[in-house]
Amino acid sequence: MMKQEQLNAIKKRLAKTSVGPWFVVEEEFVQNVSSVIGVIHLSKDAHFIAHAHKDVPALIEEIERLKRENEGLVIDRECAISNITNEFLNEEQRLRKALEEIMEDQAPIMEGWETTTYEIARKALGGEAHE
């Protein structure tokens, strides 16, 4: 993953370039052109370099857009996890209360007279005895 420092360095280098337009002159000898930076012998490389002045800013813009979108998705995910966790805890509390009510309703009058329902509720509550 590209770090923000790397992206900032690319942006700084881009800001220092000439405004352009950048173009390719496909001639053996170039005269009266003050912005020639070098001679490239492969036309496809020259076209790539000439287009870089427009392509790099577009790529930077897309990277920054995707980073913003990713940050939003991370926030959305964290909110969803928090909501689900809260819902789970609320449901757990609701079910625990229901089991405690069952145990209270089904409480045996003597030891050994526990109903199946009482035992199921007691086990679901982790073996906690009804007080």
Side-chain angles (χ1 to χ4, degrees):
M1 180 192 297
M2 180 179 282
K3 294 182 180 177
Q4 188 61 44
E5 296 82 31
Q6 293 169 299
L7 190 57
N8 289 343
I10 293 169
K11 289 165 70 174
K12 283 181 184 177
R13 287 191 297 272
L14 180 63
K16 292 178 182 179
T17 63
S18 62
V19 176
W22 290 15
F23 54 90
V24 175
V25 177
E26 295 196 30
E27 299 202 10
E28 188 80 23
F29 299 100
V30 178
Q31 296 178 359
N32 299 326
V33 177
S34 62
S35 61
V36 173
I37 59 167
V39 176
I40 299 171
H41 296 286
L42 296 174
S43 177
K44 59 185 175 185
D45 293 342
H47 285 282
F48 175 82
I49 292 168
H51 284 280
H53 200 260
K54 289 186 179 179
D55 294 345
V56 170
L59 291 170
I60 289 171
E61 187 176 313
E62 181 65 4
I63 289 169
E64 290 175 338
R65 183 192 70 77
L66 291 170
K67 281 186 172 191
R68 286 189 304 273
E69 183 178 315
N70 187 53
E71 288 169 2
L73 292 172
V74 167
I75 291 169
D76 290 348
R77 184 194 71 207
E78 289 171 356
C79 287
I81 289 170
S82 177
N83 289 339
I84 290 169
T85 301
N86 287 335
E87 288 175 20
F88 172 78
L89 293 173
N90 290 338
E91 184 66 5
E92 179 188 32
Q93 186 177 23
R94 186 188 70 77
L95 292 172
R96 180 171 288 282
K97 183 176 180 189
L99 289 169
E100 289 170 351
E101 288 174 5
I102 289 170
M103 286 183 67
E104 186 176 319
D105 182 65
Q106 297 289 316
I109 55 174
M110 290 182 58
E111 189 174 323
W113 288 19
E114 293 86 1
T115 65
T116 304
T117 305
Y118 177 86
E119 284 300 314
I120 291 170
R122 186 181 64 77
K123 288 178 184 175
L125 288 170
E128 297 174 11
H130 179 68
E131 298 294 325

